[in-house]
Amino acid sequence: MNFSVKVVLYPQTAADCLKGSFLVTVHSVYHHTVNLRAGERLLAIQPRSAAPTPFGITTSLSGEEFECLTLRQGERGLWSGGELQLGCLRLDLKTGELWQPRITPVPEELWRPRFLSGLEQTIARGREKSALARSLEPDRGEAETPLGQLYHRYISQAGALAGQGAFSSAARQYCMLIGLGDGLTPAGDDFLVGLLAALRGLEQEEQTGRFRTALEEEVEAQLAKTNDISAEFLRYACRGAFSRPLCQLFSPAEPEAALDWLAGIGHSSGIDTLTGVREGLALHRSLTAAKTV
């Protein structure tokens, strides 16, 4: 017997991957995510409570209902005509709302006044969960651990190189963070997603744009250093696609709600991402100031 599940939301990036008919395979199963391998790309099926991602299909299921799904790693299904048939599960993409996982750049003067203090406060409240965030604090007790020392060294050296205009070297140094840290999406990867979002989120001037391009190219070249799921987030970030809370973060009308949303993601993923956003803002200001000198 088929179990039909309503799709409530899906990103344009997923829609672009889902044209035609093809086989899919269950890549991995977690409490609130089932990841599917579709050719060279990943798709994620999620309950309605999960933050929408650039490759996630949000269903009408609650978290408890989602955990009752009996899908197994390696199980195969068919995507055809906008519908997925996977075991007894049937999804119809046509029932969902389409959203654009893109950040619309905004002038910093419209966005910054209400946002910066909230960003710092949110990171400060969550710093106990994030070894990466603690490693960048002035007292940085966590930097005395080997992992904290690596976070601090790579980020501080990369920022200094970018400030000197050595964009390729800075990008390579930031990419030392890829795959660094524990969890499904390592802290170093989350930081880079936030950094790339900030570089996309503010209206670009030439220097910031040049550095962003160098970083995106270097990240894409080193995706093999991390796991498949985290690499997918990074791949989309390099192409300008982000989760919904990150997209909302750069809306002048919604940054406070987006900060709270991001802070609650994962054990430390949201805080690590916001720490990357803060780094991107600092780089943007540094590069803009250097141009005016």
Side-chain angles (χ1 to χ4, degrees):
M1 186 175 83
N2 285 342
F3 177 40
S4 294
V5 174
K6 183 180 179 181
V7 172
V8 296
L9 192 69
Y10 65 99
Q12 181 65 58
T13 41
D16 293 340
C17 294
L18 294 174
K19 297 175 181 177
S21 300
F22 49 86
L23 295 174
V24 299
T25 303
V26 177
H27 172 278
S28 48
V29 179
Y30 299 94
H31 288 303
H32 288 167
T33 307
V34 174
N35 294 297
L36 307 177
R37 172 68 71 184
E40 296 182 354
R41 308 312 298 270
L42 287 181
L43 296 167
I45 304 173
Q46 300 174 300
R48 62 176 181 264
S49 58
T53 73
F55 58 99
I57 298 171
T58 303
T59 70
S60 59
L61 296 176
S62 68
E64 290 183 356
E65 291 170 333
F66 195 89
E67 291 183 24
C68 292
L69 294 177
T70 57
L71 299 175
R72 301 180 303 277
Q73 185 177 13
E75 192 169 353
R76 293 187 175 185
L78 176 66
W79 190 279
S80 180
E83 296 183 3
L84 171 67
Q85 188 70 51
L86 182 62
C88 64
L89 176 67
R90 178 179 173 273
L91 286 180
D92 185 354
L93 204 67
K94 296 187 292 293
T95 65
E97 174 190 351
L98 185 69
W99 72 282
Q100 297 291 341
R102 306 287 178 182
I103 293 175
T104 301
V106 296
E108 188 174 2
E109 62 270 17
L110 295 181
W111 176 80
R112 182 179 176 188
R114 293 174 56 199
F115 175 77
L116 285 184
S117 62
L119 174 64
E120 293 292 350
Q121 291 169 12
T122 302
I123 294 173
R125 288 195 299 269
R127 69 189 296 270
E128 291 308 313
K129 299 189 298 182
S130 168
L132 188 149
R134 291 196 303 276
S135 77
L136 301 178
E137 294 296 323
D139 57 359
R140 58 177 194 279
E142 185 68 21
E144 297 307 312
T145 69
L147 183 59
Q149 289 175 351
L150 290 177
Y151 289 143
H152 184 267
R153 181 192 314 157
Y154 296 151
I155 294 170
S156 61
Q157 290 180 355
L161 288 166
Q164 296 164 13
F167 293 160
S168 295
S169 296
R172 287 193 295 271
Q173 192 68 15
Y174 275 124
C175 285
M176 297 295 288
L177 295 167
I178 295 178
L180 187 63
D182 298 324
L184 182 59
T185 55
D189 297 356
D190 292 329
F191 176 92
L192 287 171
V193 169
L195 172 56
L196 288 165
L199 296 176
R200 286 266 181 181
L202 298 176
E203 285 190 338
Q204 299 293 289
E205 50 80 39
E206 182 181 359
Q207 291 291 86
T208 305
R210 284 179 53 217
F211 173 67
R212 192 200 79 210
T213 298
L215 181 59
E216 289 172 346
E217 291 175 352
E218 192 65 34
V219 169
E220 286 223 61
Q222 297 198 36
L223 290 177
K225 290 168 55 179
T226 192
N227 65 67
D228 291 345
I229 296 167
S230 198
E232 199 76 357
F233 278 106
L234 284 169
R235 182 179 291 107
Y236 275 108
C238 289
R239 299 174 187 184
F242 300 89
S243 66
R244 198 164 201 177
L246 263 178
C247 292
Q248 291 183 356
L249 189 63
F250 291 89
S251 166
E254 300 181 275
E256 295 90 352
L259 282 170
D260 291 339
W261 196 355
L262 280 161
I265 294 176
H267 174 68
S268 67
S269 286
I271 297 300
D272 296 329
T273 301
L274 289 172
T275 305
V277 169
R278 181 178 64 183
E279 177 79 0
L281 298 178
L283 275 176
H284 174 77
R285 292 194 297 271
S286 173
L287 294 174
T288 302
K291 183 179 178 181
T292 62
V293 173

